[in-house]
Amino acid sequence: KNQVEQSPQSLIILEGKNCTLQCNYTVSPFSNLRWYKQDTGRGPVSLTIMTFSENTKSNGRYTATLDADTKQSSLHITASQLSDSASYICVVSARNDYKLSFGAGTTVTVRA
Amino acid sequence: NAGVTQTPKFQVLKTGQSMTLQCAQDMNHNSMYWYRQDPGMGLRLIYYSASEGTTDKGEVPNGYNVSRLNKREFSLRLESAAPSQTSVYFCASSWNRGENGELFFGEGSRLTVL
């Protein structure tokens, strides 16, 4: 069964600090990996999408990395802001399969 | 840009009641989806519609029905609500059903079944 595991489940950081979220997956054959940001009470919004050949992808202060050999991805948030407080969801798709495998998310709380 | 619009945003039902969640997208997307989100779990696919006129079961379809009314609208119906259906429901759409189709989500509909 295709699975996506995220860690930590939650974290608290001070404004201005950096943090890194982890995503491990067993989805095979791999097609792409996406990171979504979900603000409280809102729908998920796409941050990045990475294919097999991409190791790193940035979107402003968000940088995602992918190691397809070890089936791991990370999302790094640089110089965190209060608006970064949200749940971050890792989503993996398999090749030739429309179905997406969703992680449970990491809840990030940024404090002033 | 409205994107994906869901109604209602909140609903409380009694066990056995029925209701329909409405979803509309204005991006001319072919594919539409209904997910549910429960605490501590990833989003789970209930039903999807790859294109107008087609619908298929997802991971957790029991207790639900869907209708792809036209290209824009995709509704989710609970015929006899159960407490286990208490959840947040998200409608999403994408240009195509394929593995690379980027998903655009609505704001969610929070349903409580008493």
Side-chain angles (χ1 to χ4, degrees):
Chain A
K1 180 180 178 180
N2 290 332
Q3 288 189 315
V4 178
E5 300 289 338
Q6 292 188 242
S7 62
Q9 187 174 7
S10 64
L11 65 91
I12 300 172
I13 58 174
L14 292 177
E15 187 178 15
K17 299 297 185 181
N18 304 333
C19 69
T20 300
L21 317 180
Q22 300 291 340
C23 174
N24 297 336
Y25 61 92
T26 61
V27 176
S28 182
F30 175 82
S31 176
N32 62 66
L33 184 146
R34 316 161 190 218
W35 283 95
Y36 283 83
K37 179 187 180 188
Q38 184 177 18
D39 292 322
T40 301
R42 307 292 294 274
V45 175
S46 178
L47 289 176
T48 66
I49 177 169
M50 302 177 69
T51 60
F52 185 89
S53 60
E54 296 175 298
N55 300 116
T56 303
K57 202 161 192 177
S58 293
N59 178 355
R61 294 179 296 99
Y62 301 102
T63 299
T65 65
L66 173 64
D67 186 335
D69 292 330
T70 61
K71 298 187 176 182
Q72 296 179 326
S73 176
S74 65
L75 180 69
H76 187 75
I77 305 175
T78 302
S80 61
Q81 300 177 359
L82 296 178
S83 59
D84 293 329
S85 293
S87 178
Y88 293 85
I89 302 171
C90 177
V91 185
V92 183
S93 70
R95 206 177 319 137
N96 300 322
D97 188 355
Y98 65 91
K99 295 178 182 176
L100 303 178
S101 297
F102 287 79
T106 294
T107 300
V108 174
T109 302
V110 181
R111 290 189 174 163
Chain B
N1 290 336
V4 178
T5 303
Q6 295 181 229
T7 57
K9 293 190 185 305
F10 301 94
Q11 183 72 49
V12 179
L13 291 177
K14 294 181 179 179
T15 297
Q17 289 184 319
S18 62
M19 76 157 300
T20 299
L21 301 178
Q22 307 286 354
C23 175
Q25 52 91 11
D26 62 2
M27 295 173 282
N28 201 35
H29 285 167
N30 292 311
S31 300
M32 297 185 73
Y33 314 80
W34 276 104
Y35 289 91
R36 60 177 288 172
Q37 186 176 41
D38 299 295
M41 301 180 69
L43 276 81
R44 292 181 292 170
L45 182 64
I46 304 171
Y47 270 94
Y48 71 97
S49 172
S51 61
E52 185 179 357
T54 69
T55 60
D56 284 287
K57 295 179 180 179
E59 184 183 353
V60 288
N62 291 344
Y64 306 95
N65 285 303
V66 291
S67 296
R68 184 74 182 267
L69 304 172
N70 48 55
K71 191 171 186 178
R72 291 187 62 249
E73 299 173 290
F74 188 38
S75 64
L76 178 71
R77 182 162 178 82
L78 286 70
E79 291 292 351
S80 179
S84 61
Q85 294 178 304
T86 293
S87 187
V88 182
Y89 293 85
F90 287 97
C91 178
S93 69
S94 65
W95 176 248
N96 56 41
R97 190 194 69 172
E99 65 206 54
N100 295 319
E102 183 175 357
L103 284 179
F104 293 83
F105 287 89
E107 294 298 299
S109 298
R110 183 175 296 275
L111 175 66
T112 301
V113 183
L114 303 176

